[in-house]
């Protein structure tokens, strides 16, 4: 096991790619933990759905979605079509509840981030050639905008260009090194299939997102209960499919920060371990995380990639020290 500084020293001359999970956002704001998301979701007020979470002893939305989808298949096998429909409707409600929960806990304005946090986070992320994230929040987007305000430089390019006064449109022909693997709050799809990004207008991105949701247009996001269903829906989006394909073709090394390598995101790790990257570094904070993730890695032991754990118990990408 090594420290994060050792990682950057060892791989100083390598092409470095980073995959950010929910732990990246939690390291800034604990509101992004699942238990808090659950309590701040509209579905928390639904006593029946709340009892489902309680009976499964979890606050993980995707675990509950998977359980309801499994139950719906069983109901279908028994020709209990009304019950099947109910379970599928509840699964859909929970998916929508998740994106609304992220909106509810998300800082309302980019001024939530102070200059020191902008400098620390951008200094961390700009050391990577490509940035991949499974998070829905717009924290990296804010950091990128604020860094430009501070020194006139962006640290990543997401490939979106002018579409109209409200949206930018993804253009595959321009440079891109920031990839939202599961979509994000500020990404939408047009009826024609264009992937669009809400424009930053004085930093009020979330207000524009809420306005779109008020017009019955949900953001582009992936939150199905199994990796197979996530993969299927990713394939229905040109942008998301492009992001996953890019991941599978990477070279150099990967650093995974803030991810538990759960089975419902297996499509992402399958792509990563199919890539031409030679090493995969996995950030952990304690022995419990190391043991849990080690168990998840069994299917990749034959990939030929060296897997190294990185101790980040005293590191945060948002501040000096822990």
């Amino acid at each position: 096991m090594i420290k994060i500084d050792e990682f950057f020293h060892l791989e100083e001359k390598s092409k470095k790619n980073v995959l950010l999970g929910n732990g990246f956002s939690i390291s800034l704001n604990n509101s992004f933990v699942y238990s808090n998301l659950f309590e701040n979701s509209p579905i928390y007020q639904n006593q029946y759905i709340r009892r489902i979470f309680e009976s499964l002893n979890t606050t993980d939305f995707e675990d509950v979605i998977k359980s309801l989808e499994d139950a719906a298949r069983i109901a279908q096998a028994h020709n209990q079509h009304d019950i099947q429909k109910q379970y599928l409707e509840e699964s859909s409600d929970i998916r929508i509840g998740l994106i609304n929960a992220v909106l509810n806990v998300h800082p309302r304005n980019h001024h939530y981030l102070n200059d020191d946090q902008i400098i620390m986070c951008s200094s961390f992320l700009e050391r990577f050639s490509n940035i991949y994230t499974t998070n829905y929040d717009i924290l990296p987007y804010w950091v990128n905008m604020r860094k430009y305000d501070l020194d006139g430089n962006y640290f990543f390019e997401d490939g979106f260009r002018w579409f109209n006064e409200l949206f930018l449109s993804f253009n595959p022909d321009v440079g891109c090194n920031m990839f939202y693997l599961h979509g994000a709050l500020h990404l939408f799809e047009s009826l024609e299939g264009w992937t669009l990004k809400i424009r930053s207008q004085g930093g009020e991105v979330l207000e524009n997102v809420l306005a779109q949701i008020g017009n019955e247009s949900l953001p582009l996001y992936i939150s199905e209960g199994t990796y197979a269903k996530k993969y299927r829906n990713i394939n229905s989006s040109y942008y998301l499919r492009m992001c996953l394909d890019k991941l599978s073709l990477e070279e150099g090394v990967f650093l995974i920060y803030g991810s538990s390598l759960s089975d419902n995101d297996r499509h992402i790790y399958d792509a990563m371990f199919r890539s031409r990257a030679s090493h995969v570094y996995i950030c952990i904070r304690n022995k419990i995380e190391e043991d849990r993730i080690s168990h998840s890695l069994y299917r990749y032991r034959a990939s030929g990639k060296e897997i190294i754990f990185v101790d980040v118990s005293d590191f945060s990408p948002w501040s000096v020290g822990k």
Side-chain angles (χ1 to χ4, degrees):
M1 187 181 301
I2 63 174
K3 292 284 191 177
I4 191 75
D5 288 342
E6 294 177 81
F7 161 75
F8 284 117
H9 176 71
L10 286 171
E11 301 295 350
E12 181 179 3
K13 296 182 180 180
S14 301
K15 179 185 178 183
K16 293 178 284 295
N17 310 286
V18 66
L19 171 64
L20 304 176
N22 196 38
F24 172 78
S25 304
I26 292 172
S27 65
L28 173 71
N29 187 330
N30 206 47
S31 295
F32 288 106
V33 299
Y34 263 132
S35 58
N36 193 63
L37 289 173
F38 178 48
E39 292 175 3
N40 283 274
S41 171
I43 61 173
Y44 188 74
Q45 306 305 319
N46 184 318
Q47 293 185 5
Y48 181 76
I49 290 182
R50 192 165 70 239
R51 284 200 298 270
I52 297 174
F53 277 79
E54 292 169 353
S55 68
L56 294 171
N57 194 30
T58 186
T59 54
D60 189 320
F61 287 71
E62 292 181 357
D63 282 352
V64 177
I65 290 169
K66 179 181 183 302
S67 295
L68 285 168
E69 290 173 344
D70 289 344
R73 283 194 294 273
I74 294 171
Q76 181 183 31
H78 289 286
N79 293 318
Q80 296 173 325
H81 300 299
D82 288 344
I83 295 177
Q84 177 195 12
K85 180 182 177 182
Q86 177 186 340
Y87 288 155
L88 292 176
E89 288 175 348
E90 289 166 351
S91 173
S92 177
D93 289 344
I94 292 170
R95 287 191 67 247
I96 296 171
L98 172 57
I99 202 70
N100 278 290
V102 175
L103 273 168
N104 288 342
V105 305
H106 202 293
R108 306 322 291 173
N109 189 283
H110 67 92
H111 294 296
Y112 174 85
L113 301 172
N114 62 47
D115 288 352
D116 288 340
Q117 290 170 325
I118 298 298
I119 292 169
M120 288 302 301
C121 185
S122 60
S123 296
F124 171 65
L125 292 178
E126 67 187 358
R127 301 176 81 169
F128 297 94
S129 298
N130 292 294
I131 303 166
Y132 296 87
T133 179
T134 58
N135 299 333
Y136 307 131
D137 63 68
I138 60 174
L139 297 177
Y141 177 50
W142 277 350
V143 173
N144 206 29
M145 296 298 103
R146 286 281 303 281
K147 183 177 186 298
Y148 182 83
D149 292 340
L150 290 174
D151 64 14
N153 294 300
Y154 296 113
F155 68 89
F156 71 73
E157 168 61 69
D158 60 13
F160 286 85
R161 293 294 185 270
W162 172 268
F163 184 75
N164 58 32
E165 291 186 356
L166 182 58
F167 289 107
L168 303 174
S169 175
F170 180 71
N171 185 340
D173 296 325
V174 301
C176 180
N177 70 330
M178 176 71 187
F179 304 92
Y180 298 94
L181 293 165
H182 283 168
L185 290 176
H186 60 321
L187 301 185
F188 291 79
E189 282 194 333
S190 70
L191 294 175
E192 297 79 19
W194 296 100
T195 301
L196 306 175
K197 183 178 81 171
I198 292 276
R199 293 185 62 207
S200 175
Q201 297 175 328
E204 306 304 324
V205 176
L206 288 186
E207 283 68 19
N208 292 335
V209 171
L210 288 167
Q212 289 299 308
I213 292 176
N215 291 329
E216 299 185 350
S217 177
L218 286 174
L220 173 63
Y221 71 106
I222 299 295
S223 65
E224 286 69 28
T226 66
Y227 74 89
K229 288 191 174 182
K230 286 182 177 180
Y231 183 66
R232 182 183 66 195
N233 284 344
I234 285 170
N235 279 328
S236 69
S237 164
Y238 169 80
Y239 170 78
L240 297 180
R241 179 71 226 187
M242 180 279 303
C243 291
L244 191 62
D245 285 346
K246 180 71 169 61
L247 177 73
S248 71
L249 296 173
E250 282 297 0
E251 298 177 336
V253 301
F254 272 102
L255 179 76
I256 301 175
Y257 183 90
S259 175
S260 63
L261 276 78
S262 59
D263 188 68
N264 57 2
D265 285 335
R266 179 174 159 183
H267 55 291
I268 290 174
Y269 307 113
D270 283 354
M272 179 182 294
F273 280 92
R274 285 197 310 271
S275 75
R276 290 169 284 186
S278 61
H279 293 62
V280 176
Y281 293 83
I282 304 172
C283 296
I284 58 167
R285 295 192 174 276
N286 52 55
K287 187 64 166 59
I288 295 174
E289 286 186 6
E290 180 182 359
D291 291 344
R292 184 176 64 245
I293 291 174
S294 293
H295 178 73
S296 301
L297 289 171
Y298 72 91
R299 66 174 62 90
Y300 304 120
R301 295 298 181 185
S303 68
K305 302 186 191 312
E306 187 168 355
I307 301 171
I308 301 170
F309 285 108
V310 180
D311 177 10
V312 291
S313 57
D314 58 354
F315 170 78
S316 169
W318 300 97
S319 61
V320 177
K322 190 172 180 179

